[in-house]
Amino acid sequence: ANARSLSIGLSSCSLPATGKDIFEIGDDEMEFGMGLHGEQGVERVQMMEADPALERLMPIIIDDLPYQSGDEVILVINGLGATTRMEMHIANRKIHHILTAAGIKVYATEIGEYATSLEMMGLSVSLIKIDDELKSVERQKQRLQDEELKLQESHRKAIATLENRYNAATKKAREALKVQESTEGRRLL
């Protein structure tokens, strides 16, 4: 098990059947290590800004494996449901700074909502220690994503070409009709 994860929860989520929160947390509080389903975390503290919160969270993750200077990792930042992409990218910036200072190289970063708990605010951070086999899988994934982008671009260009040809043909046909109408109009006079 070369992976470690820890979350920061800022709010509860509600049960769909009842609409009631599954636990209570103050508007001025946050919880480190909160479970995705509302399981109690390791520590509840006063709300703090992103950078200090991550400065507190990351050493817990790093020391647990332990990760060492020179290690390479895949970083996964997972929004818990109500966390914006911008907030996750703010976290990403700070996490990269912390890992760089620790001598840990980020091989790849994944940011998104992979495991959520409805409208829960917060995020989880996962580090996956990477080896040659995982690097190979990650490179293959990147090649497939690159191919998909090339196909999407080819598709976009083909559609644009067809639209341009259609518009040119339509314009030409309209001009021909105008010439025909004006010629026919003169004949009638």
Side-chain angles (χ1 to χ4, degrees):
N2 286 329
R4 295 295 184 270
S5 296
L6 199 60
S7 67
I8 301 174
L10 306 174
S11 73
S12 178
C13 67
S14 58
L15 289 171
T18 66
K20 295 182 180 178
D21 286 347
I22 59 174
F23 64 90
E24 297 291 326
I25 186 168
D27 290 339
D28 62 342
E29 295 179 312
M30 61 193 312
E31 191 159 335
F32 289 91
M34 177 189 299
L36 187 60
H37 305 103
E39 299 89 349
Q40 186 173 359
V42 294
E43 182 180 21
R44 190 172 285 197
V45 299
Q46 287 299 115
M47 183 71 70
M48 60 182 81
E49 292 182 359
D51 284 1
L54 292 163
E55 288 166 357
R56 197 164 179 174
L57 178 81
M58 291 307 296
I60 298 169
I61 297 173
I62 292 169
D63 294 344
D64 190 60
L65 190 53
Y67 295 92
Q68 300 170 8
S69 180
D71 284 346
E72 289 183 279
V73 298
I74 296 175
L75 167 63
V76 180
I77 299 172
N78 173 61
L80 298 180
T83 307
T84 66
R85 288 221 35 109
M86 182 175 72
E87 290 167 320
M88 289 185 268
H89 281 276
I90 289 168
N92 179 53
R93 174 197 48 81
K94 184 61 178 177
I95 293 166
H96 272 263
H97 286 231
I98 292 168
L99 293 173
T100 299
I104 298 170
K105 181 179 184 252
V106 178
Y107 185 81
T109 303
E110 300 289 339
I111 300 173
E113 291 184 321
Y114 306 106
T116 64
S117 192
L118 300 173
E119 74 279 12
M120 184 181 284
M121 290 188 294
L123 54 83
S124 64
V125 177
S126 301
L127 295 181
I128 304 162
K129 197 172 186 179
I130 194 165
D131 57 16
D132 290 338
E133 182 181 1
L134 285 173
K135 284 181 186 178
S136 174
V137 169
E138 193 63 28
R139 283 191 298 271
Q140 179 63 23
K141 182 181 100 178
Q142 189 59 52
R143 278 193 293 274
L144 291 172
Q145 287 173 338
D146 291 345
E147 286 300 316
E148 182 180 10
L149 288 174
K150 286 178 189 174
L151 287 172
Q152 288 173 354
E153 181 61 17
S154 295
H155 185 252
R156 187 197 61 74
K157 285 180 180 178
I159 288 173
T161 300
L162 289 173
E163 285 178 347
N164 289 338
R165 287 180 183 170
Y166 172 80
N167 290 338
T170 302
K171 182 179 178 185
K172 193 173 184 179
R174 284 186 182 142
E175 288 171 358
L177 281 174
K178 284 181 186 176
V179 168
Q180 183 181 359
E181 287 172 0
S182 73
T183 306
E184 288 174 1
R186 284 192 212 132
R187 282 190 214 153
L188 294 174
L189 293 176

